Amino acid sequence: MSGSSTRAAARAPGGVASRSSSVRYALSLVGASIAVAAVGCGDVGDENYVPQPRVALNQADLDNAPFCVGTCEPDYGSQAIDCSAEAGLEFFPAPVMNGDTGEIVSFYSYNDNTSDFMVSGPGGYTPGQANYEPPAAVVYDKPSCVDGRPVQSDAGQNVHHLRGGLFREWGGGMGRNLTGLVTTAAGCFPRPSSEGNPEYCADADPRIEAIAGTPEYTTLAGAYYGMVVDLRGWEGISFWARQGPNNTGGIRVYVADRQLDDDVAYYEYQAGIQPMCGRVRECGCRNHRPCTPGDGELTGFYCWDPAIDGSIAELRAQYGAMGALQRFDARYECGATACNEPNPTTMNPDPLFSTPTATPTPGTAECLPYKLTNDLEDYFCYDPNKPETLPSDGPQRCGDGWAKGVTLSQNWQFFTVPFTELRQEGYAQEFQYLDLSKITLVRFSWSQGWVDVWLDDVRFYRHASAELQSE
């Protein structure tokens, strides 16, 4: 009997939890993040009275101007929190994200490379900052919710804080693939689920098992079953979030399955399996500069014009002195240099895009113009003699996950987003349904403008009272 025969699935999701017994909590302005400094003198109404100042949560950014969001308005945090919002819910055994360890484990962030800055964590922006697994920010405006009531901790709460801008193209995002989320459960890794294992272990995937016994199988199976979670017994995704005063106003929560995941497509291609969606790599210039060979000792191709930009080698050295070579590469690399960049998830060579100059594994791709079916032309990495490398049109591409927008306020709010309310946006390959048996990825994304988002306790949820039924 297969593992799926005993799976339990929650009945139709019931949306957000009942708030009929709402408990509102007015926050006292104490703690390091919104501290009250004991420097006031006199009493209210006295001519010598001096109001006690508050320290803004974003003081590190204000001190680091101009690398602060929008008009650099002080953020004094949330003024209220509704702890009854979690009533009646139970949560997945492992969180997708929280800051309890002091680090935002497995979370990364990315953007369109048009912004002046993007930073995660408690400190101000520095050019060389890595936005992978940033340190958590400690706040005192978000108490824990215990039995529907707020409980403040002297140590505060560790949360994720990401901000940046101004984003001028498609924006950016933050999130994680689910590698490692359930690998501590017996039987979930590296092989598919078997009878008696937890309900969230992935069933055997026919596409993966079709190459069992080959040298490629071990790598593919380990990567695939290590990132897939079966959520058929769960209703949706929940999280706590708030925004700073100059945030653009909303974010999209995004869930992906194996059908449209770039990482799954990469691993399948490596194993000789035709992926379910197509990957592309652009290699042209977006800064209105020509793709030009480097100067001096700097080899490769870069988006620069010697008559306007001076020495590209000196520019790269400046970025290097700031510890920001990754930022330089993202903005200026083009042509074969961009094609030969490793796969961003695994940091291994990507043979689909690499050119004959790639090391250590040369490929056959080139950086060439390609006109898509919508008549838009751009430069992509591909081999015109290998049809499997031709750039995928939008309707065949990976990446269009199932998403829903939510509107944030400056108060901490608890959000529940049922899987049934998620929709593809339509910019890449579309599928008939979100495959809850093979979820691989969770992200939060934003569009053009400024981003200033505080995030905590990202979890899958279901109603504790929901009746479960066998499939």
Side-chain angles (χ1 to χ4, degrees):
M1 182 182 295
S2 69
S4 63
S5 64
T6 59
R7 302 275 179 183
R11 198 151 56 181
V16 298
S18 170
R19 303 191 182 190
S20 59
S21 59
S22 175
V23 177
R24 304 297 295 179
Y25 177 67
L27 295 165
S28 59
L29 299 179
V30 296
S33 293
I34 49 176
V36 177
V39 297
C41 58
D43 296 322
V44 175
D46 291 347
E47 61 179 8
N48 294 324
Y49 175 73
V50 178
Q52 297 178 347
R54 292 182 294 170
V55 177
L57 272 67
N58 61 339
Q59 192 61 51
D61 298 329
L62 304 182
D63 294 339
N64 199 34
F67 299 114
C68 48
V69 174
T71 60
C72 298
E73 184 178 344
D75 180 1
Y76 293 113
S78 179
Q79 301 303 302
I81 187 170
D82 179 9
C83 273
S84 69
E86 294 184 355
L89 299 181
E90 62 177 313
F91 300 100
F92 195 76
V96 175
M97 188 283 290
N98 63 35
D100 291 353
T101 65
E103 182 180 68
I104 309 302
V105 177
S106 298
F107 246 56
Y108 56 82
S109 55
Y110 58 96
N111 63 69
D112 59 17
N113 292 314
T114 64
S115 65
D116 295 320
F117 78 102
M118 186 175 77
V119 60
S120 302
Y125 168 73
T126 57
Q129 186 207 14
N131 284 305
Y132 176 67
E133 294 192 332
V138 179
V139 299
Y140 293 83
D141 68 333
K142 181 186 180 293
S144 299
C145 290
V146 179
D147 296 328
R149 301 186 63 86
V151 178
Q152 185 61 270
S153 167
D154 292 340
Q157 288 285 326
N158 291 329
V159 304
H160 185 34
H161 184 205
L162 183 143
R163 62 273 191 206
L166 179 69
F167 299 97
R168 298 172 177 85
E169 287 193 4
W170 47 263
M174 56 182 168
R176 60 168 293 183
N177 70 31
L178 300 184
T179 295
L181 189 70
V182 296
T183 55
T184 56
C188 284
F189 184 82
R191 295 294 181 264
S193 175
S194 59
E195 188 70 26
N197 283 328
E199 63 174 359
Y200 46 76
C201 298
D203 286 340
D205 188 292
R207 293 170 56 83
I208 308 301
E209 298 306 314
I211 66 166
T214 68
E216 294 80 13
Y217 175 77
T218 300
T219 299
L220 175 61
Y224 176 81
Y225 293 117
M227 75 169 70
V228 173
V229 182
D230 189 333
L231 294 176
R232 284 176 289 181
W234 298 85
E235 293 182 33
I237 187 166
S238 67
F239 54 95
W240 286 89
R242 65 173 295 268
Q243 66 177 20
N246 290 134
N247 185 60
T248 52
I251 54 174
R252 295 184 297 271
V253 58
Y254 168 112
V255 176
D257 61 32
R258 64 102 62 239
Q259 302 175 107
L260 46 78
D261 191 307
D262 293 78
D263 293 341
V264 174
Y266 167 79
Y267 286 117
E268 288 189 333
Y269 180 81
Q270 293 284 83
I273 298 174
Q274 179 62 39
M276 299 181 72
C277 59
R279 297 181 299 125
V280 299
R281 179 172 292 182
E282 297 178 3
C283 53
C285 293
R286 294 185 175 182
N287 62 355
H288 307 292
R289 297 288 196 268
C291 189
T292 309
D295 59 348
E297 298 180 358
L298 188 63
T299 60
F301 292 85
Y302 303 90
C303 301
W304 73 295
D305 185 339
I308 300 175
D309 303 313
S311 168
I312 193 70
E314 291 177 358
L315 180 62
R316 190 174 193 276
Q318 293 172 10
Y319 273 76
M322 297 185 295
L325 287 181
Q326 287 185 332
R327 185 172 177 83
F328 172 87
D329 294 343
R331 284 195 166 191
Y332 293 98
E333 284 187 345
C334 61
T337 306
C339 296
N340 294 335
E341 281 288 301
N343 178 272
T345 299
T346 64
M347 296 309 296
N348 293 323
D350 198 326
L352 183 65
F353 306 124
S354 60
T355 74
T357 62
T359 57
T361 309
T364 61
E366 301 176 76
C367 181
L368 299 170
Y370 189 86
K371 182 176 288 189
L372 303 170
T373 55
N374 58 10
D375 286 334
L376 294 179
E377 185 174 85
D378 205 341
Y379 279 82
F380 297 92
C381 306
Y382 68 98
D383 182 344
N385 298 313
K386 290 185 176 180
E388 68 271 20
T389 72
L390 296 179
S392 298
D393 277 296
Q396 287 80 46
R397 288 188 193 177
C398 302
D400 186 8
W402 298 71
K404 180 180 179 179
V406 297
T407 300
L408 307 180
S409 75
Q410 292 188 51
N411 288 329
W412 280 104
Q413 291 177 270
F414 180 68
F415 295 88
T416 55
V417 180
F419 294 132
T420 55
E421 294 184 6
L422 300 175
R423 300 289 184 270
Q424 287 186 278
E425 296 184 50
Y427 61 83
Q429 186 161 350
E430 297 184 24
F431 292 90
Q432 292 183 343
Y433 61 94
L434 173 65
D435 189 349
L436 290 176
S437 71
K438 300 178 178 66
I439 300 300
T440 61
L441 179 70
V442 171
R443 287 178 183 163
F444 296 84
S445 62
W446 60 88
S447 300
Q448 296 174 341
W450 296 97
V451 62
D452 187 358
V453 173
W454 302 78
L455 186 68
D456 195 25
D457 290 332
V458 182
R459 298 168 289 183
F460 301 118
Y461 77 92
R462 63 188 174 194
H463 281 78
S465 61
E467 294 181 0
L468 302 180
Q469 59 184 5
S470 300
E471 292 185 318

